[in-house]
Amino acid sequence: MTWQALQADMAAQNYVASDDLAVALHLALSLGRPMLLEGAAGVGKTEVARVLAAARDTKLIRLQCYEGLDAAQAIYEWNYQRQLLSIRASAEAGETGQAVEARIFSEDYLLERPLLAAIRQDVPPVLLIDEIDRADEEFEAYLLEVLADYQVTIPELGTISARSTPIVILTANGTRDLSDALRRRCLYAYVDYPDRTTELAILRARCPEIEDRLAQQIIGFVQKLRAEELEKVPGIAEMLDFAAALMGLGVADLTADPAVLQSTLTTLLKTQSDRANVPTEVAQRLAGRAA
């Protein structure tokens, strides 16, 4: 498959990938390397994994990272409640020793977490490791070991090797610096906010019934809004919500009703300070320059 074919497959899933992103993903797939996507929140990094899984008709397995994430939550853990119940039942039946231990540390009591589940699929899944920069550096180091050999060692069961190599997509929002070791392990692409032409194509793909004039105004307005001093810059998802809200209210022109426009900013501005920084007169000024 060429990168152009991959780009077309993603477009069929209503994702407009830039040439640079499509080439990077194609190389990651061809070389069997993890893909690190970095960029601001809301630019569509997570959506890449979902679209890739849909385009390749395979399973999407997601690991959401957060501070304090450890191996037990990411790879596997034992079903302790079932183990305790089994131990009690065995004791009542007079059964003890190695037979009980072998039973409670078997596959029946193993809880798969995303990393283990990903390497046990018969068909290569897309493994999304979302917001890796939110996890601790210790977990990042452990993740490198798993990605190096695609195998997991469970002391009670032994080493479990991958049935198939997952397609690994990591995302980062710049919360902290990632290690050089992780960056060397991955191919890299920076996903930025789309330019006007690309974002217009995204809107038309997701809302094919939208009138052209309104679509032009929406993209112009959102792109100018991003240039304002905001705490939370609206991403693509917020732009689509904004468009849906306007269409649902029957708005055909952003400048027609200042009150309605101001009320729909709830889809774009997600903090009180941002709402205060974009009063009605500012919204009208941006709307007037949006076409």
Side-chain angles (χ1 to χ4, degrees):
M1 175 186 287
T2 64
W3 68 266
Q4 293 94 337
L6 175 61
Q7 189 178 45
D9 286 346
M10 296 178 73
Q13 301 295 327
N14 293 329
Y15 190 96
V16 181
S18 67
D19 290 354
D20 287 347
L21 178 58
V23 170
L25 289 170
H26 172 69
L27 291 174
L29 293 173
S30 301
L31 299 173
R33 298 281 296 279
M35 182 82 236
L36 172 60
L37 301 177
E38 200 165 28
V43 294
K45 303 184 299 297
T46 299
E47 188 72 359
V48 168
R50 187 197 67 79
V51 168
L52 193 58
R56 295 177 71 90
D57 192 22
T58 192
K59 188 174 183 179
L60 173 64
I61 298 175
R62 178 176 181 175
L63 172 62
Q64 178 61 52
C65 297
Y66 52 88
E67 187 177 354
L69 177 67
D70 60 22
Q73 296 157 320
I75 303 175
Y76 78 95
E77 61 183 324
W78 294 104
N79 191 328
Y80 298 116
Q81 291 182 332
R82 284 195 62 204
Q83 286 176 322
L84 287 173
L85 290 172
S86 180
I87 291 170
R88 289 174 183 171
S90 299
E92 291 174 2
E95 185 182 5
T96 59
Q98 292 185 345
V100 176
E101 183 178 348
R103 184 169 66 251
I104 65 172
F105 288 110
S106 66
E107 288 275 357
D108 292 339
Y109 296 85
L110 184 67
L111 297 177
E112 286 185 346
R113 297 310 183 206
L115 294 183
L116 179 58
I119 67 171
R120 301 182 85 187
Q121 302 296 313
D122 293 324
V123 177
V126 173
L127 171 60
L128 169 62
I129 303 174
D130 213 6
E131 299 184 308
I132 180 61
D133 50 334
R134 292 187 180 274
D136 300 329
E137 293 180 7
E138 292 80 6
F139 176 77
E140 185 183 320
Y142 192 86
L143 177 64
L144 279 171
E145 294 182 20
V146 176
L147 295 181
D149 300 316
Y150 292 105
Q151 63 182 27
V152 171
T153 298
I154 301 175
E156 298 84 357
L157 297 178
T159 299
I160 299 177
S161 298
R163 297 176 189 169
S164 61
T165 302
I167 300 164
V168 182
I169 303 292
L170 302 96
T171 73
N173 296 336
T175 303
R176 67 169 176 85
D177 290 335
L178 300 174
S179 69
D180 290 342
L182 180 64
R183 290 185 181 276
R184 284 196 301 269
R185 183 74 182 81
C186 304
L187 299 191
Y188 175 84
Y190 186 84
V191 184
D192 205 348
Y193 291 106
D195 58 27
R196 182 185 179 97
T197 300
T198 302
E199 193 160 19
L200 188 59
I202 293 170
L203 176 56
R204 286 170 173 159
R206 295 298 183 92
C207 302
E209 68 279 9
I210 194 169
E211 294 292 334
D212 184 67
R213 183 169 185 269
L214 180 60
Q216 296 278 358
Q217 284 185 321
I218 288 171
I219 299 306
F221 181 85
V222 171
Q223 296 221 332
K224 291 184 183 304
L225 184 63
R226 289 183 185 137
E228 298 292 311
E229 293 185 4
L230 301 175
E231 283 186 14
K232 303 292 183 183
V233 178
I236 296 170
E238 286 78 18
M239 178 275 292
L240 293 172
D241 287 342
F242 180 53
L246 292 169
M247 294 171 65
L249 293 171
V251 175
D253 185 343
L254 288 189
T255 63
D257 191 331
V260 171
L261 174 61
Q262 195 66 23
S263 67
T264 58
L265 293 185
T266 187
T267 61
L268 295 172
L269 304 176
K270 301 302 178 71
T271 70
Q272 180 59 34
S273 63
D274 285 348
R275 292 296 300 270
N277 285 334
V278 188
T280 301
E281 57 272 20
V282 173
Q284 282 298 291
R285 172 173 56 82
L286 297 178
R289 296 163 50 195

